[in-house]
Amino acid sequence: MRKLDTFIIGGGLAGLFSALVLKSKHPEKKIAIAAFGAGSLPMSSGTIDFLSRDARGKFLKSPLAGIQKLPNHHPYKKIGIESIKQAVEFFRDFSAEWSLPYDGSLERQTPVVTSLGTIKSAALTQISMDASPLKYAQKIIVVGINGVKDFFPNVLVENLQKIFPQKQIESVNIDFISNPRRDPLILDIARILDSNEGIQKFADQLKSKVESKTMFITPPIFGTQGASSHGAAESLLESKICETTCLPPSPTGIRLQKILRDSLHKLGISILENMKIVSSEIENRRVKSVKTSSGKIFEADRFILAAGKFFSGGIEMNQFNSPREPIFNLPIFFEPSENQWSHEDFFMPQGFEKTGILIDENLKPIDASGKLILENVAIIGEILGGFDFTASGSNSGIAIASAFKAGDIDE
Amino acid sequence: MNENFAGIRKTIDHCVACTACMAACPVMRALQDYRGPKLIAPAHGRLHFSQDDFDRSLEFCSNCKSCDRACPNGVSVSNLNMQQRGKFFESHKHSQRDKILAHIESAGKKIRTIPFGHQAANWGSSVGKILGISEKIGITAKRPLPIYARKNFKTLFKSIHQQKSDRKIVFYPGCYINENDPDVGIALIRVMNANGIEVLIDENFRCCGSPLISTGFMNESRLLAENNSARIQDWKSKNIPVVAACTTCSLVLKSELAEIFGDDRFANNNVFDAFEFLETIDLNLNLASVPKRILYHVPCHLKSQGIGLPAREILSEIPDLKIELADAGCCGLSGNFGYKKELYDVSMKIGRELFDRILSSDADEVMSECGPCRMQIQHGTNREPMHPLEILAGAYLPN
């Protein structure tokens, strides 16, 4: 293979988005992406949370205000507010262009109904998931699907009633697959609703339920591609419909994955599948090449590391206090004091989650003293260290913002 | 339990039930009866620790390996399925149909011992279809069976004169190129010769075993693995690489047998896909212009090898040639899967996206390395795809 301009390691949200930004801004660049596994998008709601809670776990009304108050060594501060804002704009434009428009902004949180009927929030959500219209509804109907065991309408009704005590909330079950031969997934139903017949079948069963100011809540069944299925169903019912998050596999995350892959395909960027990068050749703080598990070598001027953390093997930790980054053997931040490694409250920041790689303002890896380790590598996404992105509700935002910057600042 | 369950059985516990495999499985998408890779391979596979208990929907796995490629944790999902299928057939009888579909190599050998045997066989399979015999034993009559070539590759090979060279490879044609599509083998010889490489063949190689593995004939497949791995090692000791042009053969010989049988002797790093090999040499770039647009369907079993898209890399050296990826998933044939009467419709449903992509494309040619993929594309679109080696050989021809 001829030498590449940029080789991206990781086919998840961060890796795919960085390729998209890089190729859009620098069309002449020759890029390849190595992916091992499908990434976490098929399991994700596809919402982009930028920052939902501060260090004490307090809910933030404005992600941007929260980001501004973060300490200077936080990856968001390294990326910079301006790049974060541009990343949001780029993402919104991209998603709208590919017919999966996202609602929201950095200055407020958009509410989302969870699969249990509680409310979470994110800066950006697919328009079908935006739960803000719920407050105007008089009657809320939670739609279950016969045979689907991953969605519990009664639980949703009970929990939503606590949030909206004044509203009339009820559930109804509709049919899609008669005599299922296995438990149908929400994804199976979403694939049925990729077709016009499926959307019609959905609307026909609910038409009689529509009264004035009725709103429907459904699992994420409106197709696996784009937002058109949801729009068509809303038109047929002349009512608002809001999709919840769901147990995986998650059609909303799959929709986002699909437009990312389709847009890269259109730009001529290949995702090299089943390719595990295992080592690298480094000379004078520059990576010359990386090697796959099958022994193939890829040379490039620049590398973007978007390999994720523990789940995807971006960081390995066979013993609790000795994490290892297998490809470049980068120094890793690890919570030093043992009694901080975990927190008894599951939803509070967990020390072990802070494990990751520290970066400078150009996303290049540094060690604990701030010394630059590699000149031509950018670190993006979940593998970044020092903070618990899950507890603070910033996983996808970190991925989008760091991926944007890595694509934008190409050298 | 059977010692065969060692090795990749350990990967069962790497499964965190994330469902990435379910989202990626083309059979689950097309068929309600299949309970899916997660539930069958790791989840149900665990039960074998305690009892012999089988989920019959195991028969719906096509072994396309989309699950493996989606898995973030390296679980050998499809091979766990194949192991379980083999285990099932330790205590259950094979149908006549499965025996026929699994033993295409010996069928081909028999045909070649009879004068005009290939004609008789081609005639027999069409008569069998007309008389309804194939349907009766469970082979679909809705698609043509592979046509036997007038002379097989190994026979043609003897009449080809090659320049002697110190640089040699052994070509492993596999059953399909040998019996049905020898032109691909001829193209490989032209390409290698144009690069100063002499092509050898080894009469002692046998079928890679893929049709046997996917129909649960594990003991026979192991015998082939013993034979073929010994041959590969023998060539390795002479520093001569073994090159295959069928991506299923190369995948099986490289890593599948080692995984399924938990036996490192079957892991062969001396086997290369043809274009993977061409990437390792100093390629002869004296290539004629081929002003064509090519739509490239990447076979599943090439994706599984994790070597990228070497055919595209090499062919992009041909002046004026444009390659576009079809990017439309699995073709749906998956070896003998789509020949099974009850799975024909599923096979065609899986291939629909690819067919539509090809039918709506104005590309001059369609290409794919995999023989079954090419047959399925021809059946689903009436277009006759080429092997990328045929395109490259064409660019070397004029001088």
Side-chain angles (χ1 to χ4, degrees), chain B residues 92-103:
Chain B
H92 296 74
K93 270 196 140 137
H94 274 101
S95 67
Q96 185 62 25
R97 186 268 309 270
D98 284 3
K99 286 181 193 163
I100 292 171
L101 292 178
H103 294 89

Side-chain angles (χ1 to χ4, degrees), chain B residues 285-306:
Chain B
L285 291 176
N286 187 15
L287 292 155
S289 154
V290 180
K292 281 186 175 174
R293 285 181 50 231
I294 313 260
L295 187 65
Y296 178 21
H297 166 67
V298 182
C300 288
H301 288 180
L302 175 65
K303 293 179 186 169
S304 286
Q305 294 185 29

Side-chain angles (χ1 to χ4, degrees), chain B residues 186-387:
Chain B
I186 306 296
L188 177 128
I189 295 173
R190 287 209 179 109
V191 166
M192 294 301 167
N193 288 176
N195 281 283
I197 295 166
E198 185 185 346
V199 178
L200 311 176
I201 59 170
D202 179 343
E203 294 280 357
N204 292 320
F205 266 128
R206 298 281 316 278
C207 168
C208 72
S210 175
L212 290 161
I213 292 165
S214 61
T215 34
F217 289 89
M218 298 319 243
N219 289 337
E220 283 179 62
S221 147
R222 185 193 266 275
L223 290 175
L224 296 180
E226 296 275 359
N227 175 74
N228 292 337
S229 295
R231 299 305 313 132
I232 294 165
Q233 288 311 313
D234 194 32
W235 289 111
K236 189 178 180 178
S237 69
K238 295 172 183 146
N239 270 326
I240 299 181
V242 176
V243 173
C246 162
T247 46
T248 297
C249 294
S250 51
L251 176 68
V252 169
L253 295 175
K254 278 178 175 184
S255 58
E256 297 286 282
L257 297 161
E259 280 199 6
I260 288 174
F261 296 112
D263 191 333
D264 287 344
R265 290 177 307 144
F266 303 155
N268 293 302
N269 59 8
N270 192 38
V271 177
F272 298 85
D273 162 70
F275 285 90
E276 178 189 24
F277 172 77
L278 291 172
E279 277 193 311
T280 66
I281 65 168
D282 199 3
L283 194 74
N284 171 6
L285 291 176
N286 187 15
L287 292 155
S289 154
V290 180
K292 281 186 175 174
R293 285 181 50 231
I294 313 260
L295 187 65
Y296 178 21
H297 166 67
V298 182
C300 288
H301 288 180
L302 175 65
K303 293 179 186 169
S304 286
Q305 294 185 29
I307 54 173
L309 304 170
R312 191 181 66 166
E313 291 302 317
I314 298 287
L315 293 189
S316 63
E317 303 286 357
I318 299 176
D320 307 313
L321 188 84
K322 295 265 175 299
I323 300 173
E324 195 188 337
L325 299 185
D327 195 29
C330 175
C331 79
L333 187 60
S334 293
N336 54 35
F337 180 82
Y339 284 98
K340 296 175 181 171
K341 184 180 148 192
E342 70 280 12
L343 294 172
Y344 172 81
D345 290 342
V346 178
S347 160
M348 294 304 280
K349 201 171 166 186
I350 295 171
R352 193 71 254 166
E353 189 183 347
L354 176 61
F355 303 154
D356 288 345
R357 178 85 178 84
I358 292 170
L359 290 169
S360 65
S361 161
D362 54 1
D364 303 302
E365 298 285 354
V366 179
M367 75 170 191
S368 185
E369 285 98 330
C370 167
C373 290
R374 293 199 298 278
M375 285 193 282
Q376 173 85 334
I377 289 169
Q378 185 164 15
H379 180 56
T381 68
N382 269 327
R383 291 196 64 160
E384 199 173 332
M386 297 175 82
H387 190 290

